[in-house]
Amino acid sequence: MSAAAPLRLALVGNPNSGKTALFNQLTGSRQKVANYAGVTVERKEGRLVSRSGRHYAVLDLPGAYSLHAASLDEAITRDLCRGYLPGEPAPDVLVCVVDGTNLRLHLRFALEVRELGKPMLLALNMADVARRRGIHIDLAVLARELGVPVVETVAVQQNGSAALVEQLDRMAEGLQPPQRQIAQGADLHQETRRLLAAAVQMPTRTASIDGALDRWLLHPVFGLVALALVMFLIFQAVYAWAAPLMGVIAAATGWLGDSVGAVLPEGPLSSLLVNGVIAGLGGVIVFLPQILILFAFILALEESGYLPRAAFLLDRMMASAGLSGRSFIPLLSSFACAIPGIMATRSIQDPRDRLATILVAPLMTCSARLPVYALLIGAFIPQRQVWGVFNQQGLVLFGLYVAGILSALMVSWVMKKWRRDKGEHPLLLELPSYRVPQVRDVLIGLWERAWIFLRRVGGIILALTILLWFLLSYPAAPGDGTLSAIEYSFAGRIGHAMTGIFAPIGFNWQICIALIPGMAAREVAVASLATVYALSAADDSAAAQALTPLIADGWSLATALSLLVWFIYAPMCISTLATIKRETNSWRKMSFATIYLFALAYGASFVTYQLAVLLGAG
Amino acid sequence: MSTSLLLQYFVIAVAVLLSVWVVAKRQFPGIVRKLRVAIALPLLREGRPAWMQLVGRWISPVKQTAADGCGGCDSCGPKI
């Protein structure tokens, strides 16, 4: 090898072993992200210069449970490690990253990698967590028994990969294949058990706690009851705990609007700032506490190790509805946003299961729907206790989430019947040990969520609010106009034209206007309604009112219910549709998703509205 | 029209144009990219004055080195 050519390292390992965190620490910002040729599997390459000045090209391979590939990701990893992937030179060194807290699973894969006979290094990641849990790993014995160097890494700690880089520098002097191979006739599980017995001492306490908890939480009946209870409590908390903070934000927004209105002279700029920007953004930002409470629970569950168990519990139900157990993770991700959820379907090996998951992922209630739900529930569902314990608004929110889940199961079941598919694919999932969530990690996660939300508010939502204000304000009413000014505006005319289609489902022209910018981001619908009502208010005091009482007075319950149902189904997100197109590489499938979701939304809203009117809620 | 009103309209025009740009870039990145290339190419032709080439370089999009990734809400869901 020439002195100038960097040594090629490939990071391999099971999913969630911390490969990507280690990759980020090794390469920092010196990364290039692309796709492997012809497939939608992400390829991440970065550069590393060690203290000794040696250059390395680092490749972060897709996570794999085995080199006997069961998915596209695993096939890419297998082919690249072997040097068979077209256009990709074989790596010089394989850095196998294993989770120190879950060696029983991860070492099995490390042994498979070792059998390739290439120079290899074992990075024992999450070494700090393993130590905290009382797992004692004898590195020297493990290295001797494996026949490859073993180093500890802590990918989430500064300098947590220093030992790895030093070892790489030592190895680079003369690359050696592994010193041991698996014995003829021995199987990988047997060999893993031998290694664990020789080099690892597990605390008995962790295993016994896990066992005791799993007996209840993975029970086919009690486990499902516990899962339902957990979800139910989350939605109760979203309403019960967020109210005081929401009140503070609403008051602050109102004060800001009044202050800006008092300082600026009457004119278009004052209208833009007060009725457009402050009313619009204030209407969305008020829901930040609810979003953060929801995510605090999700992050805590994720940290605790409970989520994979929920996947295990729901596997049978999902399989009978035409989805794979592997669909659980993408669908769960879709509760945050359908886009990463749809992208996560890459781990589903069966193309039909993958397509079914992609098509139903937009039915999961993403966080962008929460402001819309919260607004309508706040306006139309009285805040009172049910059976002396439950918050009625929380119950309705829980019902909306359940409606999304049941609809997804129903749609996938219909698709399964349609394609006459009887095959099922077994679920292979790693169940980590239970652990108490670290407050710091949850807070970091919440900070990230808050920052993402605020960036959206300051970016796309602000831009759309300004555009909507412009469309609602111009052209101005003619001198002899008899209607309110907004009715002569571009948006007013568009809204009135759209009511021809949406009147049967109870939408007025204000809602119709809000649906258009809502296609860019669902929560913009709330900002748009706030702007529409602020601009169409008869006087300033009416304009300064919060949106909730305005729609409570102006809409019927039937309209509100119809709009809630619309938002369960309608694919009001251009980015999601674009992601479906990219992931399926098919305009036809994307069009199918769009049409079926809009048809479902319209049909369900129509039935809801007409029924509600018949029952006297119109 | 008074100077104050003129100034207000100017600020609004800038805000609206910037918003159009943000929305277009975010929602229709492919179209925006093609548009930037189409505008920049004639400005970068050989023989164009230096200032025109400078404007062309400023307008032309940066080379794509990565897949377009999420492009949606910048968030990622829970990992299990």
Side-chain angles (χ1 to χ4, degrees), chain A residues 462-510:
Chain A
L462 173 64
L464 284 163
T465 305
I466 291 173
L467 288 181
L468 187 69
W469 172 88
F470 178 76
L471 293 174
L472 283 164
S473 305
Y474 298 98
D480 55 348
T482 50
L483 301 170
S484 67
I486 198 169
E487 313 236 359
Y488 294 98
S489 67
F490 293 120
R493 290 174 203 195
I494 294 170
H496 281 294
M498 284 172 71
T499 49
I501 302 168
F502 289 101
I505 59 173
F507 291 3
N508 57 25
W509 65 271
Q510 289 97 329

Side-chain angles (χ1 to χ4, degrees), chain A residues 231 235 294-295 298 330-338 361 364-368 401 405, chain B residues 78:
Chain A
M231 301 308 286
F235 296 115
L294 180 66
F295 274 94
I298 292 178
L331 292 181
L332 192 71
S333 299
S334 301
F335 278 106
C337 173
M364 297 294 115
T365 304
C366 66
S367 57
Y401 272 74
I405 296 167

Side-chain angles (χ1 to χ4, degrees), chain A residues 8 61 64 79 89 114 144 160 183 199 226 279 290 306 432 465 491 516 561 578:
Chain A
R8 290 179 59 79
L61 297 188
D79 292 348
R114 189 187 69 175
R144 188 189 69 215
Q290 290 186 327
Y306 180 68
T465 305
I516 301 172
L561 291 175

